[in-house]
Amino acid sequence: MYKVASVFKYRYMETLLSKIDPRVKILVSVLYVFPAILFSNMVQLTPILIPIIINLKAGKVLTKYLKSLLYLSPFLILITLLNYLTMGNIISALIPILRLIILIGALDIFFFTTDPDDFILTMESLKLPLSISLSFALALRFIPAMIEQINEIVEAQLSRGLQLDKGNFITRIKNYIPIIIPLVILSIKRSIEVAESLEIRGVHPKATRTKYIELRIKRRDLAYLVINTAIVIIYIILFLLL
Amino acid sequence: MGIEFKGVYYRYPETNTDVLRNIWLEIGEGEAVAILGDNGAGKTTLIKHMNGLLKPSKGDVYVDGVNTREVEVSTLARKVALVFQYPEKMFFSETVYDEVSFALKNFGFEKSLIPRIVEKTLKTFWLWEYRDRSPYTLSGGEQRRLALASILSWDPKYIVLDEPTAGQDAIQREILTHLINRKIGEGKTVILVSHDVEFIAEFSPRTILLKDGEIIFDGEADDLFRRKDLLTKSGLEQPTLYQLSDRLGLIKTDERVTLELLVEYIKKVIQCTK
C-alpha cells in the first residue's frame, strides 16, 4: 500500500514541463483526451500515445506513469477479461483499456508535473470558489502525510498481532477495519486542526483575497500550447481522412 | 537467549544513506535497557527490527535464536511487544474492553481465558471502571495507559517502549515509572527508547547511545550521564541531578549519583559553614 501511494507523491524536478503555466498544461492534457474519445480502433488510437509519452518524458515522469499503470494492471486485466467475455473479441475488448491508458497518460501530463500549490492558482483562475480549490489543494497536499499515517497504523496493528493477509476474501476485507477506523478518526482530527490553524493565520473564506503569485502566460507557454494543439489537430485530421 | 543484532545495516527503500550502520548488540533476558539518541539517530528504526517489522539490509537479527527473516511479524509480536510513540493513535474498538481483547484474539488465546486476562490487565492499569467507554473519550494519560494495557495484556517476554513519556504530565510519568518498574521486577526485558534523560535516570538501566545510526556508547546509565561531551554531541542534556553534582564537583567520585548522595553532601557543607 505504501509503495503504491508513494508513486502519486509529487516531487519537484527541474524540467521543461514544471515551468510551464499550469493552465496551459491542463489545456494540453484535455486536448489529448479528445482523440481518445473520437476514435475507436486500435490503429487510430495507438499513435496518440507517442506525443503523450514524449510530453511525459520531457517532464521526467514517464517511469512514474508506467509504474502507475503497473499498479493498475490487475484492474485493467479484469476489465479486459470482462469485456472479452461479453464481446467475444479480444481486439474490441482491448479498446477501452487503450482509451484508459491514453486518458491516464494525458491527465498525468498535468497531474504529475504540477506542484500542488499551483493547483490552487489554476483552479482560482478557472473561477472556482476558494472553498473548493483550497479543499482540493489541501487534499492533495496531505497525500504524503496520509501515506505515512497508514504506514504507522499498519505497523502498530501488526505489532498487536493483526494478520492482514489471513483468511478468505471477506475476512481479508474485515482485517482492514483496524487500519481504516484510526485513519478516518485521525483524518477528521487533522482536518479540524488544519481549519483552526488556517483561521489563526488569518484565512477567511469570505474575505476578498489579493494574490501573492499571479500566473502569467509567457512566450514559452504559448509555444508549448501551439505545438501540442497543432499535433492534436493534425493527428485528428489525418486519421479522420484515413 | 535474548535479542541479538549481528552486523546490522539498514537503508530505507528509495534512499541512499544507511539509517543503521554496523550494529552489534546483545540484549539479555530480564535486562532493562535504555536507547538514547537525538532525532534521526535511528532509535525507532532499530526497535522496528526487534519484532521483524523491518528486516536488515545487511546482517541479521535474532530473537531467542530465531532469525527475524524467517518468521512473520505476528509470530514475533507475541514475544516482542512494541509500543510506538503516541500509541493511542491506533485505537479502533468501540470500548476500552474490546481494545484490550483485540490482540488476545489475534494471538489465539482461549476464549474462556480472555475475559479474565482483560479484567486483570485493566485493573493493573487502573482502567477497569472505564471498560465500557469509547477509548477516544478517555483523557490523554488514560489513553496512553490503555495503549500500554492493550499491548502488555498478552504478557510478552520483551517490552519495547518508544518515547513512553512523550506528551505526558508529571503524574502520568510517575504512574508509567511505577508500571515499568513492576515489569522489570517481574523479570521482563524492558527496552526504553527516549529523549527524556530524567525519566531514564529513574531506572538507571544499561544505556545505549545512538548517533547517526551507530552505537557510540553502551554501558551503565550512570557512566553516560557523567559524560557531558557525549550527551551534548547527541543533543541531550545531563539529568538535573548530574548537572548539579557536576557543578558541585561531585561527579568525579566513584559513587553513583543519587538524590540521597547530593542531599547528604549539601547537608555536610551547610554544617561545615555553620
Side-chain angles (χ1 to χ4, degrees):
Chain A
M1 177 124 62
Y2 181 79
K3 260 190 180 165
V4 178
S6 67
V7 169
F8 301 100
K9 216 155 125 181
Y10 174 79
R11 249 188 236 114
Y12 179 77
M13 276 178 293
E14 186 80 23
T15 64
L16 173 74
L17 253 65
S18 59
K19 287 185 204 138
I20 299 284
D21 190 300
R23 291 170 296 175
V24 170
K25 270 191 283 187
I26 206 165
L27 212 63
V28 168
S29 278
V30 175
L31 267 176
Y32 279 106
V33 172
F34 280 116
I37 302 170
L38 209 61
F39 297 120
S40 54
N41 75 51
M42 278 292 202
V43 185
Q44 289 169 322
L45 279 171
T46 320
I48 197 66
L49 274 171
I50 297 165
I52 291 178
I53 285 173
I54 292 171
N55 262 304
L56 292 170
K57 185 84 192 155
K60 289 189 185 159
V61 288
L62 185 59
T63 32
K64 217 170 162 182
Y65 166 64
L66 294 176
K67 260 192 202 165
S68 69
L69 286 185
L70 187 75
Y71 289 130
L72 276 175
S73 57
F75 180 60
L76 298 179
I77 292 167
L78 186 73
I79 299 178
T80 320
L81 209 70
L82 289 175
N83 279 339
Y84 178 66
L85 289 177
T86 49
M87 289 189 272
N89 180 346
I90 190 73
I91 300 292
S92 41
L94 279 170
I95 297 286
I97 302 304
L98 190 60
R99 273 199 179 133
L100 204 60
I101 291 172
I102 294 170
L103 272 175
I104 294 170
L107 295 174
D108 281 349
I109 296 175
F110 174 71
F111 282 105
F112 280 173
T113 63
T114 309
D115 191 298
D117 279 348
D118 287 345
F119 274 46
I120 244 193
L121 293 174
T122 318
M123 279 189 281
E124 266 178 21
S125 66
L126 296 172
K127 299 277 178 262
L128 279 173
L130 180 70
S131 54
I132 293 176
S133 58
L134 191 62
S135 345
F136 192 70
L138 282 175
L140 283 169
R141 166 79 17 126
F142 280 117
I143 290 175
M146 193 99 132
I147 296 167
E148 218 153 275
Q149 202 125 62
I150 294 172
N151 216 22
E152 268 175 30
I153 298 170
V154 169
E155 284 183 340
Q157 305 299 31
L158 287 179
S159 301
R160 292 210 284 169
L162 179 71
Q163 281 173 289
L164 288 173
D165 45 8
K166 190 184 71 178
N168 60 26
F169 187 66
I170 303 289
T171 342
R172 277 182 193 217
I173 293 175
K174 275 190 190 158
N175 288 346
Y176 276 89
I177 293 175
I179 312 283
I180 292 162
I181 294 178
L183 187 69
V184 171
I185 293 174
L186 289 172
S187 303
I188 294 171
K189 273 190 182 167
R190 189 168 47 206
S191 68
I192 295 169
E193 276 168 25
V194 170
E196 282 170 351
S197 74
L198 280 173
E199 268 182 276
I200 288 167
R201 283 181 277 176
V203 175
H204 191 289
K206 295 217 170 85
T208 17
R209 282 159 56 91
T210 49
K211 279 185 184 139
Y212 182 62
I213 305 166
E214 253 180 283
L215 293 175
R216 273 210 192 89
I217 305 271
K218 292 196 195 93
R219 221 181 282 165
R220 184 173 56 197
D221 302 322
L222 278 179
Y224 179 73
L225 182 64
V226 169
I227 293 170
N228 280 293
T229 317
I231 292 172
V232 175
I233 292 176
I234 293 170
Y235 185 89
I236 291 176
I237 294 172
L238 204 70
F239 280 90
L240 274 181
L241 291 177
L242 272 175
Chain B
M1 292 281 260
I3 300 176
E4 261 181 285
F5 283 71
K6 289 188 171 171
V8 169
Y9 282 78
Y10 186 76
R11 177 178 290 198
Y12 281 99
E14 290 179 41
T15 57
N16 44 20
T17 39
D18 289 320
V19 184
L20 293 180
R21 283 184 285 169
N22 200 18
I23 303 283
W24 291 83
L25 182 64
E26 258 189 78
I27 296 170
E29 276 176 38
E31 226 181 328
V33 180
I35 299 172
L36 291 172
D38 52 353
N39 291 329
K43 306 185 295 284
T44 305
T45 312
L46 182 80
I47 58 167
K48 279 185 189 169
H49 278 83
M50 293 178 181
N51 72 351
L53 276 175
L54 296 179
K55 317 279 186 212
S57 311
K58 224 163 90 188
D60 290 293
V61 179
Y62 295 88
V63 175
D64 286 346
V66 179
N67 192 329
T68 57
R69 291 179 200 277
E70 284 154 18
V71 274
E72 278 190 57
V73 178
S74 55
T75 318
L76 278 171
R78 177 78 177 77
K79 262 189 195 169
V80 187
L82 222 156
V83 184
F84 285 105
Q85 229 182 98
Y86 299 106
E88 48 277 12
K89 287 202 288 195
M90 70 197 179
F91 294 153
F92 72 97
S93 305
E94 265 175 79
T95 62
V96 166
Y97 188 96
D98 292 342
E99 198 62 55
V100 176
S101 62
F102 169 68
L104 298 172
K105 285 177 197 155
N106 283 334
F107 289 125
F109 275 73
E110 232 176 277
K111 263 199 182 135
S112 55
L113 276 175
I114 293 178
R116 238 185 299 157
I117 299 173
V118 176
E119 188 181 336
K120 194 183 150 220
T121 314
L122 285 177
K123 280 182 176 162
T124 314
F125 286 82
W126 298 291
L127 291 164
W128 180 242
E129 51 187 303
Y130 305 131
R131 60 188 178 277
D132 293 325
R133 274 175 52 183
S134 157
Y136 284 100
T137 62
L138 300 180
S139 75
E142 288 156 359
Q143 284 192 355
R144 182 67 53 91
R145 287 206 316 265
L146 173 59
L148 279 174
S150 77
I151 286 173
L152 301 184
S153 61
W154 70 82
D155 202 28
K157 196 168 157 190
Y158 304 97
I159 301 162
V160 189
L161 305 168
D162 194 357
E163 299 282 2
T165 55
Q168 298 288 297
D169 61 25
I171 297 168
Q172 291 304 330
R173 276 176 50 149
E174 213 163 287
I175 294 174
L176 283 173
T177 312
H178 169 81
L179 289 168
I180 292 168
N181 263 326
R182 198 157 143 177
K183 286 289 162 192
I184 296 173
E186 284 170 19
K188 304 284 177 199
T189 307
V190 176
I191 299 161
L192 288 167
V193 172
S194 189
H195 278 121
D196 192 342
V197 283
E198 305 286 350
F199 182 67
I200 298 295
E202 298 203 29
F203 303 100
S204 71
R206 167 183 168 195
T207 308
I208 290 158
L209 184 62
L210 275 179
K211 172 86 186 151
D212 298 329
E214 277 174 293
I215 296 177
I216 57 169
F217 178 91
D218 184 351
E220 289 278 316
D222 187 55
D223 289 333
L224 176 68
F225 292 149
R226 288 164 197 261
R227 302 272 309 267
K228 210 177 163 181
D229 55 319
L230 271 182
L231 289 172
T232 322
K233 202 171 135 191
S234 296
L236 297 167
E237 262 195 335
Q238 277 179 307
T240 329
L241 272 184
Y242 287 81
Q243 283 185 34
L244 189 58
S245 15
D246 197 10
R247 298 237 183 130
L248 293 172
L250 267 174
I251 205 122
K252 289 182 185 74
T253 60
D254 288 336
E255 255 177 299
R256 232 189 91 189
V257 179
T258 56
L259 186 61
E260 288 72 34
L261 183 82
L262 270 178
V263 171
E264 244 353 89
Y265 179 82
I266 293 168
K267 269 186 185 164
K268 259 188 224 161
V269 174
I270 294 172
Q271 268 169 6
C272 283
T273 47
K274 269 180 188 171

